[in-house]
Amino acid sequence: QAELGKPLRNCYTLPGFDFSYGLYIHRTDGGVPEAIGHWNTVKPRTTLVQKMPRDFITMNRGALKAGYTTAREFNLYYKANDIRRRDDEYSHFKRYPPKVPADLTYGVTARPCTPFFDLLQHKYKELWMEQQRALTAAQQVEKKKVTKNKVCETRTTFLRKHPLPAKEESFWHLPRLEKV
């Protein structure tokens, strides 16, 4: 039970100061003297010689050149000519790696840092405001040029320059009265 006025403890009591954590193995764990006196090294494993996968593309090409067309003939050709794919260790790229400078960094270069003082001083806002003011001033000058050079045209001046075509008088008659 919990002590009066105190919350219930939900943890374990730890062992004393003389307790050592971990697993003690009698044969191999001899402490510092054994570590200094013996060098237990790991023996390298002998890797099994792995058979490379078959190169079916080359074998199919050879079978077709030999004139085989059926599946049975192809199987017989595979058994007679067992061609395996080459290992990557013997590839040209591994034997002769490309010559690149020592200070070359692969990938996309990082963006240059944004100047912090320019952000604090609102320099980018000021530059944008300057651009907007210059653009507005240029538009106003252009507008004034257009209005100064252009004379306002009314309908009367337009009709004086471009008179309406004269109406041609047509003598239209009813079709039944044409022969009269």
Side-chain angles (χ1 to χ4, degrees):
Q1 282 189 343
E3 299 174 34
L4 187 61
K6 292 186 178 177
L8 184 66
R9 295 177 188 223
N10 59 353
C11 59
Y12 298 105
T13 57
L14 295 175
F17 289 108
D18 59 338
F19 182 79
S20 60
Y21 293 93
L23 186 63
Y24 182 80
I25 303 170
H26 291 284
R27 285 189 216 135
T28 59
D29 195 11
V32 176
E34 188 170 329
I36 293 173
H38 303 288
W39 291 96
N40 293 330
T41 57
V42 178
K43 294 180 175 69
R45 293 182 187 172
T46 56
T47 56
L48 297 172
V49 177
Q50 182 182 350
K51 260 192 159 182
M52 298 308 294
R54 296 172 109 183
D55 192 1
F56 284 101
I57 295 171
T58 309
M59 287 194 292
N60 287 348
R61 191 181 301 122
L64 285 173
K65 282 181 182 175
Y68 299 132
T69 53
T70 63
R72 188 174 187 286
E73 291 171 342
F74 267 72
N75 280 332
L76 290 172
Y77 185 83
Y78 293 162
K79 287 176 185 171
N81 304 322
D82 189 22
I83 302 171
R84 300 285 174 166
R85 286 179 30 199
R86 290 192 334 174
D87 193 5
D88 286 339
E89 288 181 19
Y90 302 110
S91 69
H92 181 76
F93 186 77
K94 286 220 174 179
R95 280 187 287 168
Y96 306 106
K99 293 173 183 163
V100 292
D103 60 343
L104 177 77
T105 306
Y106 289 98
V108 181
T109 56
R111 250 182 72 196
C113 298
T114 305
F116 199 65
F117 286 108
D118 292 348
L119 290 176
L120 289 176
Q121 295 170 354
H122 302 290
K123 188 174 181 181
Y124 296 106
K125 182 189 86 167
E126 295 298 328
L127 288 172
W128 183 80
M129 292 292 286
E130 289 288 329
Q131 288 174 352
Q132 293 303 315
R133 286 186 199 116
L135 185 66
T136 308
Q139 286 175 348
Q140 287 176 351
V141 168
E142 190 68 31
K143 193 174 183 183
K144 283 181 183 177
K145 281 184 184 176
V146 169
T147 54
K148 281 183 180 177
N149 296 340
K150 187 177 178 185
V151 178
C152 294
E153 274 196 22
T154 59
R155 181 165 171 78
T156 309
T157 55
F158 181 77
L159 287 174
R160 279 185 193 149
K161 287 180 184 175
H162 310 285
L164 293 173
K167 246 186 178 180
E168 290 183 20
E169 197 171 328
S170 69
F171 300 104
W172 181 81
H173 302 286
L174 285 171
R176 63 178 177 213
L177 300 176
E178 285 290 321
K179 295 182 182 178
V180 176

